Coordinates of all heavy atoms in Angstrom, one line a residue:
M1 N 23.8 40.8 -14.4 CA 25.0 40.2 -14.0 C 24.8 38.9 -13.3 O 25.6 38.0 -13.3 CB 25.7 41.2 -13.0 CG 27.1 40.8 -12.8 SD 28.1 40.9 -14.2 CE 29.7 41.1 -13.6
K2 N 23.6 38.8 -12.7 CA 23.3 37.5 -11.9 C 23.1 36.4 -12.9 O 23.5 35.2 -12.6 CB 22.0 37.7 -11.2 CG 21.6 36.6 -10.3 CD 20.4 36.8 -9.5 CE 20.1 35.6 -8.6 NZ 18.9 35.8 -7.8
S3 N 22.6 36.6 -14.1 CA 22.4 35.5 -15.1 C 23.7 35.0 -15.6 O 23.9 33.8 -15.8 CB 21.6 36.0 -16.3 OG 22.2 37.0 -16.9
I4 N 24.7 35.8 -15.7 CA 26.1 35.4 -16.1 C 26.7 34.5 -15.1 O 27.3 33.5 -15.4 CB 27.0 36.6 -16.4 CG1 26.5 37.3 -17.6 CG2 28.4 36.1 -16.6 CD1 27.3 38.6 -17.9
T5 N 26.5 34.8 -13.8 CA 27.0 34.0 -12.7 C 26.3 32.7 -12.7 O 27.0 31.7 -12.5 CB 26.6 34.7 -11.4 OG1 27.2 36.1 -11.4 CG2 27.2 34.0 -10.2
I6 N 25.0 32.6 -13.0 CA 24.3 31.3 -13.0 C 24.8 30.5 -14.1 O 25.1 29.3 -14.0 CB 22.8 31.5 -13.1 CG1 22.3 32.2 -11.8 CG2 22.1 30.2 -13.4 CD1 20.8 32.6 -11.9
V7 N 25.0 31.1 -15.3 CA 25.6 30.3 -16.5 C 27.0 29.8 -16.2 O 27.2 28.6 -16.5 CB 25.6 31.2 -17.7 CG1 26.3 30.5 -18.8 CG2 24.2 31.5 -18.2
L8 N 27.8 30.6 -15.6 CA 29.2 30.1 -15.2 C 29.1 29.0 -14.2 O 29.9 28.0 -14.3 CB 30.0 31.2 -14.7 CG 30.4 32.3 -15.7 CD1 31.1 33.5 -15.1 CD2 31.3 31.6 -16.8
V9 N 28.3 29.1 -13.2 CA 28.1 28.0 -12.2 C 27.6 26.7 -12.8 O 28.2 25.6 -12.6 CB 27.3 28.5 -11.0 CG1 26.9 27.3 -10.1 CG2 27.9 29.6 -10.2
V10 N 26.6 26.8 -13.6 CA 26.1 25.6 -14.3 C 27.1 25.0 -15.3 O 27.3 23.8 -15.3 CB 24.8 26.0 -15.1 CG1 24.3 24.8 -15.9 CG2 23.6 26.3 -14.1
T11 N 27.8 25.9 -16.0 CA 28.8 25.4 -16.9 C 29.9 24.7 -16.2 O 30.4 23.6 -16.6 CB 29.4 26.6 -17.8 OG1 28.3 27.1 -18.5 CG2 30.4 26.0 -18.8
G12 N 30.4 25.3 -15.1 CA 31.3 24.7 -14.2 C 30.9 23.3 -13.7 O 31.7 22.3 -13.6
G13 N 29.7 23.2 -13.3 CA 29.1 22.0 -12.8 C 29.1 20.9 -13.8 O 29.5 19.7 -13.6
V14 N 28.7 21.3 -15.0 CA 28.8 20.3 -16.2 C 30.2 19.9 -16.5 O 30.4 18.7 -16.6 CB 28.1 21.0 -17.4 CG1 28.3 20.1 -18.6 CG2 26.7 21.2 -17.2
L15 N 31.1 20.8 -16.5 CA 32.5 20.4 -16.7 C 33.1 19.5 -15.6 O 33.8 18.5 -15.9 CB 33.4 21.7 -16.9 CG 33.2 22.4 -18.2 CD1 34.0 23.7 -18.1 CD2 33.5 21.6 -19.4
I16 N 32.8 19.8 -14.4 CA 33.2 18.9 -13.3 C 32.6 17.5 -13.4 O 33.3 16.5 -13.2 CB 32.8 19.6 -11.9 CG1 33.8 20.8 -11.7 CG2 33.0 18.5 -10.8 CD1 33.4 21.6 -10.5
S17 N 31.3 17.5 -13.7 CA 30.6 16.2 -13.9 C 31.3 15.4 -15.1 O 31.5 14.2 -14.9 CB 29.2 16.4 -14.3 OG 28.5 17.1 -13.2
L18 N 31.5 16.1 -16.1 CA 32.2 15.3 -17.3 C 33.6 14.9 -16.9 O 34.0 13.8 -17.3 CB 32.2 16.2 -18.5 CG 31.0 16.5 -19.3 CD1 31.2 17.5 -20.3 CD2 30.4 15.2 -19.8
G19 N 34.3 15.7 -16.2 CA 35.6 15.3 -15.7 C 35.6 14.1 -14.8 O 36.4 13.2 -14.9
L20 N 34.7 14.1 -13.9 CA 34.5 12.9 -13.0 C 34.1 11.7 -13.8 O 34.6 10.6 -13.5 CB 33.5 13.2 -11.9 CG 34.0 14.2 -10.8 CD1 32.9 14.6 -9.9 CD2 35.2 13.7 -10.1
L21 N 33.2 11.8 -14.7 CA 32.7 10.7 -15.5 C 34.0 10.1 -16.3 O 34.1 8.9 -16.3 CB 31.7 11.2 -16.5 CG 31.1 10.2 -17.4 CD1 30.2 9.2 -16.7 CD2 30.4 10.8 -18.6
L22 N 34.8 11.0 -16.9 CA 35.9 10.5 -17.6 C 37.0 9.9 -16.7 O 37.7 8.9 -17.0 CB 36.6 11.6 -18.4 CG 35.8 12.0 -19.6 CD1 36.4 13.2 -20.3 CD2 35.7 10.9 -20.6
F23 N 37.1 10.4 -15.4 CA 38.0 9.9 -14.5 C 37.7 8.5 -14.0 O 38.5 7.6 -13.9 CB 38.1 10.9 -13.3 CG 39.1 10.4 -12.3 CD1 40.4 10.5 -12.4 CD2 38.6 9.8 -11.0 CE1 41.3 10.0 -11.5 CE2 39.4 9.4 -10.1 CZ 40.8 9.5 -10.3
F24 N 36.4 8.3 -13.7 CA 35.9 7.0 -13.3 C 35.7 6.0 -14.3 O 35.8 4.8 -14.1 CB 34.6 7.1 -12.4 CG 34.9 7.8 -11.1 CD1 34.4 9.0 -10.8 CD2 35.7 7.2 -10.1 CE1 34.6 9.6 -9.6 CE2 36.0 7.8 -8.9 CZ 35.4 9.0 -8.7
F25 N 35.4 6.4 -15.6 CA 35.3 5.4 -16.7 C 36.5 5.6 -17.6 O 36.3 5.9 -18.8 CB 34.0 5.7 -17.4 CG 32.8 5.4 -16.6 CD1 32.0 6.4 -16.1 CD2 32.4 4.1 -16.3 CE1 30.9 6.2 -15.3 CE2 31.3 3.8 -15.5 CZ 30.6 4.9 -15.0
E26 N 37.6 5.5 -17.1 CA 38.9 5.9 -17.7 C 38.9 6.0 -19.2 O 39.4 6.9 -19.8 CB 40.0 4.9 -17.3 CG 40.4 5.1 -15.8 CD 41.5 4.2 -15.4 OE1 42.3 3.9 -16.3 OE2 41.6 3.9 -14.2
K27 N 38.3 5.1 -19.9 CA 38.3 5.1 -21.3 C 36.9 4.8 -21.8 O 36.4 3.7 -21.6 CB 39.3 4.1 -21.9 CG 39.3 4.2 -23.4 CD 40.6 3.7 -24.0 CE 40.5 3.7 -25.5 NZ 41.5 4.3 -26.1
I28 N 36.3 5.7 -22.6 CA 35.1 5.5 -23.2 C 35.4 4.9 -24.6 O 36.1 5.6 -25.3 CB 34.2 6.7 -23.3 CG1 33.9 7.3 -21.9 CG2 32.9 6.5 -24.1 CD1 33.2 8.6 -21.9
P29 N 34.9 3.7 -24.9 CA 35.5 3.0 -26.1 C 35.3 3.7 -27.4 O 36.3 3.7 -28.2 CB 34.7 1.7 -26.2 CG 33.8 1.7 -24.9 CD 34.0 3.0 -24.2
W30 N 34.3 4.5 -27.6 CA 34.1 5.2 -28.9 C 34.7 6.5 -29.0 O 35.0 7.0 -30.1 CB 32.6 5.2 -29.2 CG 31.8 5.9 -28.2 CD1 31.2 5.3 -27.2 CD2 31.6 7.3 -28.0 NE1 30.6 6.3 -26.4 CE2 30.8 7.5 -26.9 CE3 32.0 8.4 -28.7 CZ2 30.4 8.8 -26.5 CZ3 31.6 9.7 -28.3 CH2 30.8 9.8 -27.2
L31 N 35.1 7.1 -27.8 CA 35.6 8.4 -27.8 C 37.1 8.5 -28.3 O 38.0 7.8 -27.8 CB 35.6 9.0 -26.4 CG 35.9 10.5 -26.2 CD1 34.8 11.3 -26.9 CD2 35.9 10.8 -24.7
G32 N 37.3 9.1 -29.4 CA 38.6 9.2 -30.1 C 38.7 8.2 -31.1 O 39.8 8.1 -31.8
N33 N 37.8 7.3 -31.4 CA 37.9 6.2 -32.4 C 36.7 6.3 -33.4 O 36.3 5.3 -33.9 CB 37.9 4.8 -31.7 CG 39.2 4.6 -30.9 OD1 40.3 5.1 -31.3 ND2 39.1 4.0 -29.8
L34 N 36.2 7.4 -33.6 CA 35.0 7.6 -34.5 C 35.5 7.6 -35.9 O 36.7 8.0 -36.1 CB 34.3 8.9 -34.2 CG 33.6 8.9 -32.9 CD1 33.0 10.4 -32.6 CD2 32.5 7.9 -32.8
P35 N 34.7 7.3 -36.9 CA 35.1 7.5 -38.3 C 35.3 9.0 -38.5 O 34.5 9.8 -38.1 CB 33.9 6.9 -39.1 CG 33.1 6.1 -38.1 CD 33.4 6.6 -36.7
G36 N 36.4 9.3 -39.1 CA 36.7 10.7 -39.3 C 37.9 11.2 -38.5 O 38.5 12.3 -38.7
D37 N 38.2 10.4 -37.4 CA 39.3 10.8 -36.5 C 40.6 10.3 -37.3 O 40.6 9.3 -38.0 CB 39.3 10.1 -35.2 CG 38.2 10.6 -34.3 OD1 37.7 11.6 -34.6 OD2 37.9 9.9 -33.3
I38 N 41.6 11.2 -37.3 CA 42.8 11.0 -38.0 C 43.8 10.2 -37.2 O 44.2 10.7 -36.1 CB 43.4 12.3 -38.6 CG1 42.3 12.9 -39.5 CG2 44.7 12.0 -39.3 CD1 42.6 14.3 -39.9
H39 N 44.4 9.1 -37.7 CA 45.4 8.3 -37.1 C 46.5 8.1 -38.1 O 46.2 7.5 -39.1 CB 44.9 6.9 -36.5 CG 43.7 7.0 -35.7 ND1 43.8 7.2 -34.3 CD2 42.4 6.8 -35.9 CE1 42.7 7.2 -33.8 NE2 41.8 7.0 -34.7
I40 N 47.7 8.5 -37.8 CA 48.8 8.3 -38.7 C 49.9 7.7 -37.8 O 50.3 8.2 -36.9 CB 49.3 9.6 -39.4 CG1 48.2 10.2 -40.2 CG2 50.6 9.3 -40.2 CD1 48.6 11.6 -40.7
R41 N 50.4 6.5 -38.3 CA 51.5 5.9 -37.6 C 52.7 5.6 -38.6 O 52.5 5.1 -39.6 CB 51.0 4.5 -37.1 CG 50.0 4.7 -36.1 CD 49.7 3.5 -35.3 NE 48.8 3.9 -34.3 CZ 47.8 3.3 -33.9 NH1 47.6 2.2 -34.2 NH2 46.9 3.8 -33.0
G42 N 53.8 6.2 -38.2 CA 55.0 6.0 -38.9 C 55.9 5.1 -38.2 O 55.6 4.5 -37.2
R43 N 57.1 5.0 -38.7 CA 58.1 4.1 -38.2 C 58.5 4.6 -36.8 O 58.6 3.8 -35.8 CB 59.3 4.0 -39.1 CG 60.2 2.9 -38.7 CD 61.4 2.8 -39.7 NE 60.9 2.5 -41.0 CZ 61.7 2.5 -42.1 NH1 62.9 2.9 -42.0 NH2 61.2 2.2 -43.3
N44 N 58.7 5.9 -36.6 CA 59.2 6.4 -35.3 C 58.3 7.4 -34.7 O 58.7 8.1 -33.7 CB 60.6 7.1 -35.6 CG 61.6 6.2 -36.0 OD1 61.7 5.0 -35.5 ND2 62.5 6.6 -36.9
F45 N 57.1 7.5 -35.2 CA 56.1 8.5 -34.6 C 54.7 8.0 -34.8 O 54.4 7.2 -35.6 CB 56.4 9.9 -35.2 CG 55.8 10.0 -36.6 CD1 54.6 10.5 -36.9 CD2 56.6 9.6 -37.7 CE1 54.1 10.6 -38.2 CE2 56.1 9.7 -39.0 CZ 54.9 10.2 -39.2
S46 N 53.8 8.7 -34.1 CA 52.4 8.4 -34.3 C 51.7 9.8 -34.1 O 52.1 10.6 -33.3 CB 51.8 7.4 -33.4 OG 51.9 7.7 -32.1
F47 N 50.7 10.0 -34.9 CA 49.9 11.2 -34.8 C 48.4 10.9 -34.7 O 47.9 10.1 -35.4 CB 50.2 12.1 -36.1 CG 49.4 13.3 -36.1 CD1 49.7 14.4 -35.4 CD2 48.3 13.5 -37.0 CE1 49.0 15.6 -35.4 CE2 47.5 14.6 -37.1 CZ 47.9 15.7 -36.2
H48 N 47.8 11.5 -33.8 CA 46.3 11.3 -33.6 C 45.6 12.6 -33.4 O 46.0 13.4 -32.7 CB 46.1 10.5 -32.3 CG 44.7 10.3 -31.9 ND1 43.9 9.4 -32.6 CD2 43.9 10.8 -31.0 CE1 42.6 9.5 -32.1 NE2 42.6 10.3 -31.1
F49 N 44.7 12.8 -34.3 CA 43.8 14.0 -34.3 C 42.4 13.7 -34.3 O 41.8 13.3 -35.4 CB 44.2 14.9 -35.5 CG 43.5 16.3 -35.5 CD1 44.0 17.3 -34.6 CD2 42.5 16.5 -36.3 CE1 43.4 18.5 -34.6 CE2 41.9 17.8 -36.2 CZ 42.3 18.7 -35.4
P50 N 41.7 13.8 -33.2 CA 40.3 13.4 -33.1 C 39.4 14.4 -33.6 O 38.6 15.1 -33.0 CB 40.1 13.2 -31.6 CG 41.1 14.2 -31.0 CD 42.2 14.2 -31.9
L51 N 39.3 14.5 -35.0 CA 38.5 15.5 -35.7 C 37.0 15.3 -35.4 O 36.3 16.2 -35.0 CB 38.9 15.5 -37.1 CG 38.1 16.5 -38.0 CD1 38.5 17.9 -37.7 CD2 38.4 16.2 -39.5
M52 N 36.5 14.2 -35.7 CA 35.1 13.9 -35.7 C 34.6 13.9 -34.2 O 33.6 14.3 -33.9 CB 34.8 12.5 -36.3 CG 33.3 12.4 -36.5 SD 32.5 13.6 -37.5 CE 33.3 13.4 -39.1
T53 N 35.5 13.4 -33.3 CA 35.2 13.5 -31.9 C 35.0 14.9 -31.4 O 34.1 15.3 -30.7 CB 36.3 12.8 -31.0 OG1 36.4 11.4 -31.5 CG2 35.9 12.8 -29.6
G54 N 35.9 15.8 -31.8 CA 35.8 17.2 -31.5 C 34.5 17.9 -32.0 O 33.9 18.7 -31.3
I55 N 34.2 17.5 -33.3 CA 33.0 18.0 -33.9 C 31.8 17.5 -33.1 O 30.9 18.3 -32.8 CB 32.9 17.7 -35.4 CG1 34.0 18.4 -36.2 CG2 31.5 18.0 -35.9 CD1 34.1 17.9 -37.6
L56 N 31.7 16.3 -32.7 CA 30.6 15.7 -32.0 C 30.5 16.4 -30.6 O 29.4 16.8 -30.2 CB 30.7 14.2 -31.9 CG 29.7 13.5 -31.1 CD1 28.4 13.6 -31.8 CD2 30.1 12.1 -30.8
L57 N 31.6 16.5 -29.9 CA 31.5 17.2 -28.6 C 31.1 18.6 -28.7 O 30.3 19.1 -27.9 CB 32.9 17.0 -27.9 CG 33.2 15.7 -27.5 CD1 34.7 15.7 -26.9 CD2 32.3 15.1 -26.4
S58 N 31.5 19.3 -29.8 CA 31.1 20.7 -29.9 C 29.6 20.8 -30.2 O 28.9 21.7 -29.6 CB 31.9 21.2 -31.2 OG 31.4 22.5 -31.5
V59 N 29.0 19.9 -31.0 CA 27.7 19.9 -31.2 C 26.8 19.7 -30.0 O 25.9 20.3 -29.6 CB 27.2 19.0 -32.4 CG1 25.7 18.7 -32.5 CG2 27.8 19.4 -33.7
V60 N 27.3 18.6 -29.2 CA 26.5 18.3 -28.0 C 26.7 19.4 -26.9 O 25.6 19.8 -26.4 CB 27.2 17.0 -27.3 CG1 26.6 16.7 -26.0 CG2 26.9 15.8 -28.3
L61 N 27.8 20.0 -26.8 CA 27.9 21.1 -25.8 C 27.1 22.3 -26.3 O 26.5 23.0 -25.4 CB 29.4 21.5 -25.6 CG 30.2 20.4 -24.8 CD1 31.7 20.9 -24.8 CD2 29.7 20.3 -23.4
T62 N 27.1 22.6 -27.6 CA 26.2 23.7 -28.1 C 24.8 23.5 -27.8 O 24.1 24.4 -27.3 CB 26.5 23.9 -29.6 OG1 27.9 24.1 -29.9 CG2 25.6 25.0 -30.2
I63 N 24.3 22.3 -28.0 CA 22.9 22.0 -27.7 C 22.6 22.1 -26.2 O 21.6 22.7 -25.8 CB 22.5 20.6 -28.2 CG1 22.6 20.5 -29.7 CG2 21.2 20.1 -27.7 CD1 22.5 19.2 -30.3
L64 N 23.5 21.6 -25.3 CA 23.4 21.7 -23.9 C 23.3 23.2 -23.4 O 22.5 23.6 -22.6 CB 24.4 21.0 -23.1 CG 24.3 19.5 -23.1 CD1 25.6 18.8 -22.5 CD2 23.1 19.0 -22.4
I65 N 24.2 24.0 -23.9 CA 24.3 25.4 -23.5 C 23.0 26.2 -24.0 O 22.5 27.0 -23.3 CB 25.6 26.1 -24.1 CG1 26.8 25.5 -23.3 CG2 25.5 27.6 -24.0 CD1 28.1 25.9 -23.9
N66 N 22.6 25.8 -25.2 CA 21.3 26.5 -25.7 C 20.1 26.1 -24.9 O 19.3 26.9 -24.6 CB 21.1 26.1 -27.2 CG 21.9 27.0 -28.1 OD1 22.2 28.1 -27.8 ND2 22.4 26.4 -29.1
I67 N 20.1 24.8 -24.5 CA 19.0 24.4 -23.5 C 19.0 25.1 -22.2 O 18.0 25.6 -21.7 CB 19.0 22.8 -23.4 CG1 18.6 22.1 -24.6 CG2 18.0 22.4 -22.2 CD1 18.8 20.7 -24.6
I68 N 20.2 25.2 -21.6 CA 20.4 25.9 -20.4 C 20.0 27.4 -20.5 O 19.2 27.9 -19.7 CB 21.8 25.8 -19.9 CG1 22.1 24.4 -19.4 CG2 22.1 26.8 -18.7 CD1 23.5 24.1 -19.2
L69 N 20.4 28.0 -21.6 CA 20.0 29.4 -21.8 C 18.5 29.6 -22.0 O 17.9 30.6 -21.6 CB 20.8 30.0 -23.0 CG 22.3 30.2 -22.7 CD1 23.0 30.7 -24.0 CD2 22.5 31.2 -21.6
K70 N 17.9 28.7 -22.6 CA 16.4 28.7 -22.8 C 15.7 28.7 -21.5 O 14.7 29.4 -21.3 CB 15.9 27.5 -23.7 CG 16.3 27.7 -25.1 CD 15.3 28.6 -25.9 CE 15.7 28.6 -27.3 NZ 15.0 29.5 -28.1
F71 N 16.2 27.8 -20.6 CA 15.6 27.7 -19.2 C 15.8 29.0 -18.5 O 15.0 29.3 -17.6 CB 16.1 26.5 -18.5 CG 15.4 25.2 -18.9 CD1 16.2 24.1 -19.4 CD2 14.1 25.0 -18.9 CE1 15.6 22.9 -19.8 CE2 13.5 23.9 -19.3 CZ 14.3 22.8 -19.8
L72 N 16.9 29.6 -18.7 CA 17.2 30.9 -18.0 C 16.5 32.1 -18.6 O 16.5 33.1 -18.0 CB 18.7 31.1 -17.9 CG 19.5 30.1 -17.1 CD1 21.0 30.4 -17.3 CD2 19.1 30.2 -15.7
G73 N 15.9 31.9 -19.7 CA 15.0 32.9 -20.3 C 15.8 33.8 -21.2 O 15.4 35.0 -21.5
K74 N 16.9 33.4 -21.8 CA 17.7 34.3 -22.6 C 17.3 34.0 -24.1 O 17.2 33.0 -24.6 CB 19.2 34.0 -22.5 CG 19.8 34.4 -21.1 CD 19.8 35.9 -21.1 CE 20.1 36.4 -19.7 NZ 20.1 37.8 -19.5

């Protein structure tokens, strides 16, 4: 049970750090504008779906979580 607590605390710390990073650097220029992100603009609407950004963030977070779990001995 202690290892789950450590993982949750570390994950929370990473999320807080990312949130502060995004807060202070209000807009990261490439985030949301990668090739593969879907932008549709109509006459009365616009639609934005950051597909490639979501995939990239998923891969990065998966790698980070696996590294953390390796250090914890799981």
Side-chain angles (χ1 to χ4, degrees):
M1 194 67 157
K2 186 177 180 182
S3 63
I4 293 173
T5 305
I6 293 171
V7 170
L8 287 175
V9 168
V10 170
T11 304
V14 168
L15 288 175
I16 289 172
S17 299
L18 286 173
L20 289 172
L21 181 74
L22 289 174
F23 179 75
F24 287 116
F25 296 106
E26 291 183 25
K27 182 160 177 132
I28 299 173
W30 55 268
L31 192 64
N33 293 320
L34 294 174
D37 290 345
I38 299 170
H39 304 277
I40 300 173
R41 294 194 176 144
R43 194 178 293 169
N44 295 323
F45 74 95
S46 63
F47 176 75
H48 175 72
F49 186 73
L51 180 65
M52 195 56 68
T53 301
I55 292 170
L56 178 69
L57 290 176
S58 175
V59 168
V60 169
L61 289 175
T62 300
I63 291 170
L64 284 175
I65 289 171
N66 282 325
I67 290 171
I68 290 169
L69 290 176
K70 289 282 185 185
F71 282 124
L72 293 175
K74 292 291 175 182

